[in-house]
């Protein structure tokens, strides 16, 4: 009986390890461009708190308008005039086997030409003026939103088990090289612990053997107590 209890315990621990919950923390600051809080029809030019931007043309935060309303708060981020980007380096560092999911919404105003911006996940390097200098781009997704609406983009990346990227900081870049103005909102970067590999047959045999040994030991101890 004792060995059965031990076996049940081992199985329960194995199941818990396989069903590790996702870490839903968003590692980005000002992810919805609601900071600074603006009055209707207002916008910033050349600054977004927690983000850096290309200096070649204006970028900033703007209050939503009839040409592009947002379901995520009342403000969105923007970059103007073709090749332009905003970027943010997080304090989150790469952990072996961890899985990262980066999502964002990209929009186009009805009074602007079509855009095909990109969502990019970077590792390492230094973020300056909307670029990740010296970093490694580990994922990219482009999207062409319908005019007047936001469309989602997703980048997923699984960290390797070892190598030079482990321990380096993750960065996010939203870039555009088409049209006049691209609009950004609701950016999220989350991490999920790596899933424990399913035990092989020989590993299951070792687990069963250990459980039986444990069961045998407790039976022996009960036997010794009865003798004492
Ligand atoms: Ca927003």
């Amino acid at each position: 009986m004792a060995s059965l209890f031990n076996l049940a315990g081992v199985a329960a621990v194995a199941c818990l390890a396989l069903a590790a919950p996702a870490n839903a923390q968003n590692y980005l600051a000002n992810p919805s461009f609601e900071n600074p809080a603006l009055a209707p029809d207002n916008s910033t030019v050349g600054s977004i708190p927690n983000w850096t931007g290309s200096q070649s043309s204006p970028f900033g935060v703007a209050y939503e308008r009839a040409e592009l309303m947002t379901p995520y708060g009342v403000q969105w981020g923007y970059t103007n005039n073709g090749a332009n980007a905003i970027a943010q380096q997080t304090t989150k560092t790469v952990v072996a086997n961890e899985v990262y999911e980066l999502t964002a919404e990209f929009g186009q105003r009805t009074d602007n030409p079509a855009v095909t911006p990109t969502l990019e996940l970077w590792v390492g390097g230094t973020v300056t003026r909307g670029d990740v200098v010296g970093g490694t781009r580990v994922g990219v997704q482009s999207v062409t939103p319908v005019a007047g609406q936001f469309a989602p983009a997703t980048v997923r990346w699984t960290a390797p088990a070892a190598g030079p990227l482990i321990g380096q900081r993750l960065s996010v870049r939203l870039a555009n090289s088409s049209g006049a103005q691209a609009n950004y909102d609701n950016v999220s970067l989350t991490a999920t612990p790596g899933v424990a590999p399913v035990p092989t047959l020989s590993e299951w045999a070792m687990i069963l053997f250990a459980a039986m040994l444990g069961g045998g030991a407790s039976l022996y101890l009960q036997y010794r107590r009865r003798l004492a």
Side-chain angles (χ1 to χ4, degrees):
M1 282 299 286
S3 61
L4 280 179
F5 285 131
N6 279 357
L7 188 56
V10 169
V13 168
C15 287
L16 281 175
L18 290 172
N23 181 355
Q25 177 184 352
N26 185 357
Y27 289 100
L28 288 163
N30 200 12
S32 188
F33 306 102
E34 300 298 312
N35 181 27
L38 302 170
D41 299 324
N42 279 20
S43 62
T44 67
V45 179
S47 72
I48 306 176
N50 305 108
W51 296 84
T52 71
S54 305
Q55 302 296 309
S56 56
S57 58
F59 67 94
V61 169
Y63 202 95
E64 66 179 354
R65 57 188 66 215
E67 294 85 357
L68 181 64
M69 301 296 283
T70 179
Y72 313 102
V74 293
Q75 300 178 178
W76 32 249
Y78 73 90
T79 57
N80 274 359
N81 301 338
N84 211 344
I86 59 174
Q88 177 178 148
Q89 187 161 59
T90 73
T91 57
K92 179 74 179 89
T93 55
V94 174
V95 174
N97 300 318
E98 210 163 46
V99 181
Y100 303 101
E101 181 169 285
L102 171 63
T103 58
E105 297 284 332
F106 293 91
Q108 177 211 338
R109 284 165 44 168
T110 54
D111 56 344
N112 277 334
V115 290
T116 306
T118 56
L119 176 63
E120 304 173 9
L121 181 63
W122 289 73
V123 174
T126 305
V127 169
T128 178
R129 295 191 166 195
D131 286 322
V132 189
V133 180
T136 302
R137 193 172 74 174
V138 296
V140 59
Q141 174 72 53
S142 64
V143 61
T144 304
V146 173
Q149 296 179 23
F150 278 96
T154 300
V155 169
R156 288 191 189 87
W157 179 63
T158 302
L165 299 184
I166 307 299
Q168 299 210 47
R169 289 165 73 174
L170 289 157
S171 293
V172 172
R173 185 170 184 262
L174 309 175
N176 182 47
S177 57
S178 55
Q181 181 182 102
N183 308 91
Y184 315 108
D185 211 350
N186 202 38
V187 193
S188 171
L189 175 64
T190 58
T192 305
V195 175
V198 176
T200 61
L201 270 181
S202 60
E203 284 168 343
W204 273 120
M206 286 177 67
I207 291 169
L208 284 172
F209 181 65
M212 286 165 73
L213 274 185
S218 52
L219 280 177
Y220 176 72
L221 286 174
Q222 286 172 20
Y223 173 71
R224 286 293 300 268
R225 275 193 218 106
R226 272 192 227 113
L227 284 185

